[in-house]
Amino acid sequence: PPSTPHSQPATMKLAVLAFAALVASASAFQWDSCGSRYDRLKTASLKFEAWPSLSAGSTASIYTEGSTDLHSPLESGSYNVRIYEEGHAHPIHNEVGDLMSVLHFNDAKQTAFTMNISYTLPAATTSGNFTASVATTDQSHSIYSCVEVRYVYGEAVEVTDLMMADAVAVTEEDAQVGDGPHFWSCGGAGDLLKNMQVKITPSTPVKGQPVTIAASGDITQTITNGTVHYVAALDGIQLISKTDALCDLVKKAGKECPLTKGTQTIGVTYTIPSWAPGGNYSAKAVAHTGAEEITCLQGWFKL
């Protein structure tokens, strides 16, 4: 049954942080081909994920799939990831690897492929606006494919009491009103976080503008460690499903474990890129410490 402001199960600051991180990592990218009609691997679709967040030190993965135009058997090859940052004429980061370890042909005739290339996100030095150029070559150094992925780093910030002054409790009924954003508890009565309040500024996210998700809640016992599992989707299509260490997530928001018993306030601010895909974004985050559920938060918004 739907929750009410007086009986809703506990939700918490970490789940709001998780939701914001999901939006940043799953939606904030745009891609294009940098190859030619002679490419041997013809990319039809691309997914980009950054874990645990779209920030320096995290691991980014570029997953591509498409058809092939092979003129001879592929015996060996390599991939090269060059990272460019707006404001720099040359790459600020470079990684290479074995093409055969990341490329998979989907059928015996090798007419279709999938490829998953991961690399470490470098520190921002100027703008935080990046382009990852990923090229693959075969044993003869012939270009097999080339794609470019553009993305922008987000920034975690502390939340002041003033920002929380007009925050509201979140219920499932809220999800039935307007275009969002909306959050509600999906946890149980035994959750360790109580009395969740949340505020989204602006109330309706806008492409190209920053959005701040601030949250406050009461922790019923000190939490020293745990995990947070995230799932996010765009228009019902899953973008990401990941599990992260709770304390790593807390640290990215400027705080440290253990989380002591009592009221905690936290928040994150991300700039939504002007080229972020429009649609209905949904996400769910569940946090545990050992066998105990800390909280469960579900929500959605529309761009």
Side-chain angles (χ1 to χ4, degrees):
S3 302
T4 67
H6 301 291
S7 66
Q8 69 174 41
T11 52
M12 69 140 182
K13 60 171 189 144
L14 290 176
V16 169
L17 179 59
F19 191 94
L22 275 173
V23 171
S25 64
S27 67
F29 79 93
Q30 185 180 48
W31 76 278
D32 200 0
S33 171
C34 50
S36 71
R37 62 190 181 94
Y38 300 109
D39 284 357
R40 299 293 182 253
L41 304 177
K42 300 183 180 300
T43 303
S45 65
L46 182 148
K47 295 180 182 179
F48 174 77
E49 296 178 352
W51 187 253
S53 65
L54 191 57
S55 60
S58 294
T59 299
S61 296
I62 298 175
Y63 177 88
T64 56
E65 59 183 4
S67 60
T68 68
D69 184 17
L70 304 182
H71 292 189
S72 60
L74 176 64
E75 298 175 1
S76 64
S78 64
Y79 67 84
N80 192 334
V81 181
R82 292 185 176 91
I83 310 299
Y84 297 85
E85 184 179 12
E86 186 177 293
H88 290 272
H90 303 287
I92 65 166
H93 185 72
N94 185 67
E95 293 187 22
V96 297
D98 178 16
L99 176 61
M100 307 305 286
S101 68
V102 298
L103 176 64
H104 173 72
F105 292 110
N106 299 344
D107 58 87
K109 294 184 178 181
Q110 300 186 345
T111 61
F113 77 93
T114 57
M115 185 163 56
N116 191 2
I117 294 176
S118 297
Y119 62 95
T120 301
L121 294 172
T125 59
T126 54
S127 63
N129 297 302
F130 295 91
T131 297
S133 178
V134 183
T136 62
T137 58
D138 67 3
Q139 62 271 9
S140 301
H141 304 291
S142 299
I143 296 294
Y144 254 53
S145 66
C146 183
V147 294
E148 289 184 341
V149 182
R150 294 180 289 279
Y151 50 89
V152 181
Y153 281 178
E155 181 181 3
V157 297
E158 288 292 330
V159 181
T160 66
D161 291 337
L162 179 62
M163 293 173 66
M164 292 301 301
D166 57 348
V168 296
V170 186
T171 71
E172 191 169 1
E173 287 94 318
D174 293 331
Q176 311 305 319
V177 183
D179 287 339
H182 304 285
F183 301 87
W184 65 96
S185 172
C186 50
D191 282 6
L192 302 182
L193 269 292
K194 311 290 182 182
N195 305 320
M196 178 64 175
Q197 290 186 316
V198 65
K199 179 184 178 182
I200 298 94
T201 307
S203 58
T204 301
V206 179
K207 294 182 182 182
Q209 300 295 321
V211 57
T212 297
I213 304 176
S216 178
D218 298 327
I219 301 177
T220 60
Q221 67 183 51
T222 296
I223 299 172
T224 58
N225 55 57
T227 59
V228 183
H229 181 68
Y230 317 82
V231 178
L234 170 60
D235 291 333
I237 300 174
Q238 183 171 299
L239 299 172
I240 188 173
S241 177
K242 297 280 189 177
T243 300
D244 186 28
L246 182 149
C247 292
D248 289 347
L249 186 60
V250 171
K251 188 173 183 179
K252 288 183 178 294
K255 296 203 173 187
E256 297 286 344
C257 283
L259 297 173
T260 56
K261 179 180 178 179
T263 300
Q264 296 278 355
T265 301
I266 203 170
V268 289
T269 295
Y270 289 107
T271 296
I272 301 177
S274 58
W275 36 259
N280 295 300
Y281 288 86
S282 60
K284 181 178 181 180
V286 184
H288 286 87
T289 178
E292 294 183 282
E293 182 170 292
I294 301 172
T295 191
C296 176
L297 184 74
Q298 197 164 355
W300 69 273
F301 72 90
K302 184 176 182 180
L303 278 182

